[in-house]
Amino acid sequence: MANGKEVSMDQEPETQYAGQQPVDGDEKPPVEVPRFMGRQIPSLDRLLIMIIPPVLIVAAVIWVIVDSGGAAEAIATMRTFVTGEFTWLFVVYSLIALGVCIWAAFSKFGKVRLGGPKAKPLHGRFAWYSMLFACGQGIGLIFWSVAEPIMLRDENPVIPPTPTGTGEEGAIVWTYFHWGLTAWAMYCVVALCLAYSHHNLGKTLTFREATVDILPKKTQRPAGVVVELLAIIATVLGLATSFGFAAMQFSSGVTSFTGIESGPVMWLIVIGAFAVVTGISAYIGINKGMARLSGLNSILSIVLVVAVFIFGPTLYLISTTTQTFGSFGQNFLSMSFFTDFQITAASLDTWQDSWNGWWTVFIWCWVIAFSPFVAGFVARISRGRTIREFVIGVTVMPSIIVMVWVGILGAAAIYYDDQTDRSISDQVAADTSSGLFAMLEQVPIIGTILLVIATILVATYYITSLDSGTYALGEFVTAPRKSSPFFRVILVISIGTVATVLLTLGGEAVVDTVQTGTIIGAFPFSFVILLMIANFIRRLHKRNKQIRKMERAINDPDPERVLIPDPEGEGFVEPSAEGATVASRAPGQGDTDS
């Protein structure tokens, strides 16, 4: 957004700052808002942020490929430790995230507008919701919407079995829980912290500037470097491993309706094609690339769900969704507080002995590990929304979509599984990513068409996830300067290269090992997020008349207004009338764009 005005999807706002030369005659270009009021990164810190992550990532990849067995064992040991000792922490963390979202939306702060009182949304609601869903969960939900209900149908806690002694109801309800309201609240609270820090306080869109204010001044600089390193590494490894799994799942989809055998050659072709499309999208910008791909995702998703509902077991699906929606509401608190406490009575031999280790802890760690790029992107596209509108849009709406999606596709999978003597269960046991395709094959009349649609969705959902991740990653690396389109393309190529190396040299087992390691990295990162949440609450409570004045000033596009950032990143000063000819310096102005 420039000038605080609505911008169409076909326009990509130009980066303009006060102090640039006039565009036409004596008319100055409007200032890009929010004006930068954060800290300039010292050269040494910037060097560390740019060099350490690739070195550590290359070292980790080499370790996993050279000693895949030893790496898998070491990571499994860490996963067992985290599951056995800190299941309670992830449960409490999820409750804090949900509680803060509710508080932020319905307290007096719910009226605060991201970007100041005059800010207008850049994207319409459909485009906004589409991008939220695509970057947050699209590919994960396609993977698990059938696999999780099938895998949990015979055994799940908290929810009583049906009168026939089976657990289908619990399987669907737990899938609602793992991919619905709480997971989205965990994304939302991180995105809200970043969005307020950036749009209202003029900080860079980074974890560093959203977090370190709360720390003693002497520790802020080193802590900021550590926080940013964790965010960058989590983002790169998370995107790279997901790239590998997306390539394999897309290949399985192609196999389902063409018969072409899936394997390393097809994986590499898929990675190359995904990288090309994502690179183009990243280069041309959010409005022309990401928004259109996300819109396509939403349309194809609606077609897929409606088609299964109409051509599938319609009456069964209506009955199942009605009952499971009610069961979800009835059991939500019990599921939210479930820690599987019996495992703490003795030392846990392996995380596989814990139900939470397989499911809730695993998925909450996944959400935390993906929070850096998901939240960073959600924050960027949400300027102009009030905090209340933001929270409802990022939690309630996607959760309803998730429940409808799982209620139809997951329930249809259970129905067809029973009709085919558990054939879908057998296919999921052999290959988890094949669950959705195994179910769609059973849909009469249009099953083959739906297989094609689902395969396309795997591609478009992952491309939008990679696209959003590239934007967030570019911000982390180059802030306070904006990343150039060329630099974002380089990031896409780098992530694709990591995925290619993992798949070609190690295969699925190595990709799985690296992804599990990335998820384990969510344990230390959870403390960073808790600190950031505390800082966000502190900032809101400190929001007095002076802070509100600052919010208006840094979002004022008037090029005649001059603001000089405080070197300590604590606000700004306005020069006297005599010094009004001194123009404010844009972040990174005079530096080579990355």
Side-chain angles (χ1 to χ4, degrees):
M1 168 181 294
N3 235 1
K5 296 180 180 179
E6 192 86 11
V7 179
S8 72
M9 286 175 57
D10 293 330
Q11 294 175 305
E12 187 72 12
E14 294 182 4
T15 301
Q16 295 176 325
Y17 297 96
Q20 286 183 323
Q21 293 298 316
V23 175
D24 185 18
D26 294 330
E27 184 181 351
K28 290 184 179 181
V31 175
E32 184 193 4
V33 292
R35 299 166 184 253
F36 172 65
M37 293 293 147
R39 294 175 174 85
Q40 291 288 350
I41 309 299
S43 299
L44 176 60
D45 295 10
R46 182 182 299 281
L47 187 64
L48 293 174
I49 289 171
M50 298 190 73
I51 291 179
I52 292 178
V55 171
L56 292 179
I57 290 166
V58 169
V61 169
I62 292 173
W63 174 47
V64 173
I65 291 174
V66 171
D67 185 17
S68 57
E73 184 178 353
I75 291 173
T77 300
M78 288 188 287
R79 186 172 178 179
T80 298
F81 171 75
V82 170
T83 301
E85 303 296 328
F86 293 101
T87 290
W88 64 270
L89 175 65
F90 293 108
V91 170
V92 171
Y93 172 88
S94 68
L95 293 169
I96 290 173
L98 183 59
V100 171
C101 287
I102 294 171
W103 167 79
F106 297 103
S107 70
K108 64 179 180 180
F109 302 113
K111 297 180 180 179
V112 175
R113 189 171 297 276
L114 299 173
K118 296 183 180 180
K120 302 295 182 183
L122 178 61
H123 302 284
R125 290 187 182 275
F126 181 78
W128 187 49
Y129 291 143
S130 296
M131 287 191 285
L132 291 177
F133 191 76
C135 77
Q137 280 187 354
I139 191 66
L141 194 61
I142 279 191
F143 192 93
W144 291 106
S145 59
V146 168
E148 184 168 346
I150 290 294
M151 295 172 75
L152 287 179
R153 64 175 302 185
D154 292 324
E155 181 183 1
N156 53 80
V158 178
I159 302 171
T162 60
T164 58
T166 55
E168 288 88 351
E169 178 181 325
I172 294 174
V173 172
W174 271 107
T175 309
Y176 292 162
F177 177 74
H178 285 146
W179 299 98
L181 182 62
T182 304
W184 278 102
M186 292 164 71
Y187 283 136
C188 178
V189 72
V190 180
L192 187 57
C193 295
L194 292 172
Y196 181 77
S197 176
H198 177 62
H199 296 301
N200 292 63
L201 302 182
K203 309 292 186 182
T204 56
L205 197 57
T206 60
F207 280 77
R208 174 182 62 251
E209 292 225 280
T211 304
V212 299
D213 289 7
I214 200 172
L215 299 173
K217 283 195 176 293
K218 290 184 178 180
T219 65
Q220 288 181 7
R221 180 178 172 184
V225 173
V226 172
V227 166
E228 217 57 31
L229 291 177
L230 288 173
I232 291 170
I233 292 170
T235 300
V236 173
L237 290 180
L239 288 171
T241 52
S242 293
F243 208 158
F245 282 122
M248 289 185 286
Q249 190 174 26
F250 182 85
S251 299
S252 296
V254 171
T255 300
S256 68
F257 62 85
T258 65
I260 300 174
E261 185 177 353
S262 176
V265 174
M266 185 182 291
W267 296 344
L268 296 184
I269 293 173
V270 171
I271 288 176
F274 282 11
V276 168
V277 177
T278 306
I280 294 172
S281 179
Y283 187 83
I284 64 177
I286 295 175
N287 296 319
K288 293 181 180 179
M290 177 72 175
R292 289 174 176 172
L293 276 175
S294 299
L296 175 63
N297 290 340
S298 297
I299 293 170
L300 291 178
S301 297
I302 292 170
V303 170
L304 181 67
V305 171
V306 170
V308 173
F309 179 77
I310 293 175
F311 290 92
T314 305
L315 183 60
Y316 178 87
L317 298 179
I318 293 173
S319 301
T320 303
T321 52
T322 301
Q323 181 170 322
T324 53
F325 272 42
S327 182
F328 174 75
Q330 180 182 356
N331 293 286
F332 179 76
L333 283 179
S334 296
M335 292 187 292
S336 297
F337 283 87
F338 179 68
T339 60
D340 203 8
F341 71 89
Q342 292 89 346
I343 67 171
T344 60
S347 178
L348 191 65
D349 293 329
T350 172
W351 62 268
Q352 296 173 321
D353 294 335
S354 165
W355 187 89
N356 266 337
W358 281 100
W359 296 105
T360 303
V361 170
F362 168 75
I363 294 172
W364 284 179
C365 285
W366 188 339
V367 171
I368 293 170
F370 278 53
S371 288
F373 80 83
V374 172
F377 184 77
V378 169
R380 172 177 287 281
I381 65 173
S382 298
R383 178 182 173 82
R385 312 284 175 183
T386 64
I387 287 180
R388 180 173 297 120
E389 184 183 6
F390 179 90
V391 171
I392 292 174
V394 181
T395 58
V396 177
M397 294 305 298
S399 300
I400 293 173
I401 295 171
V402 164
M403 292 176 69
V404 171
W405 180 288
V406 172
I408 292 177
L409 299 186
I414 290 175
Y415 174 86
Y416 289 126
D417 197 36
D418 288 336
Q419 299 300 309
T420 58
D421 195 25
R422 295 290 184 104
S423 66
I424 296 178
S425 292
D426 292 339
Q427 291 185 61
V428 169
D431 180 6
T432 310
S433 67
S434 67
L436 177 62
F437 305 115
M439 182 275 290
L440 293 176
E441 286 177 346
Q442 302 299 325
V443 178
I445 304 176
I446 61 169
T448 302
I449 297 175
L450 296 184
L451 287 173
V452 175
I453 292 174
T455 303
I456 294 172
L457 274 173
V458 171
T460 55
Y461 269 128
Y462 183 72
I463 288 169
T464 48
S465 291
L466 182 56
D467 198 357
S468 63
T470 301
Y471 269 91
L473 184 60
E475 194 85 24
F476 298 156
V477 175
T478 65
R481 294 172 293 168
K482 289 189 176 296
S483 61
S484 69
F486 179 73
F487 182 68
R488 293 194 295 269
V489 172
I490 294 299
L491 292 177
V492 171
I493 295 172
S494 301
I495 293 167
T497 300
V498 174
T500 300
V501 170
L502 292 173
L503 274 178
T504 54
L505 297 184
E508 184 175 355
V510 166
V511 176
D512 188 48
T513 299
V514 175
Q515 186 179 53
T516 302
T518 302
I519 292 169
I520 295 305
F523 174 62
F525 201 69
S526 64
F527 294 99
V528 172
I529 296 175
L530 288 171
L531 193 64
M532 184 169 64
I533 292 171
N535 194 39
F536 169 67
I537 295 172
R538 182 187 69 89
R539 283 173 165 178
L540 284 182
H541 280 294
K542 285 181 61 179
R543 190 174 177 270
N544 53 24
K545 184 177 180 180
Q546 183 178 359
I547 298 296
R548 291 195 294 273
K549 177 184 176 183
M550 184 179 76
E551 291 179 9
R552 291 192 295 271
I554 66 177
N555 285 287
D556 184 355
D558 181 5
E560 300 297 331
R561 188 169 192 177
V562 177
L563 306 180
I564 301 175
D566 185 329
E568 297 298 321
E570 295 297 329
F572 67 93
V573 295
E574 295 190 71
S576 62
E578 302 84 61
T581 56
V582 180
S584 60
R585 182 175 182 270
Q589 188 173 316
D591 296 327
T592 303
D593 199 10
S594 296

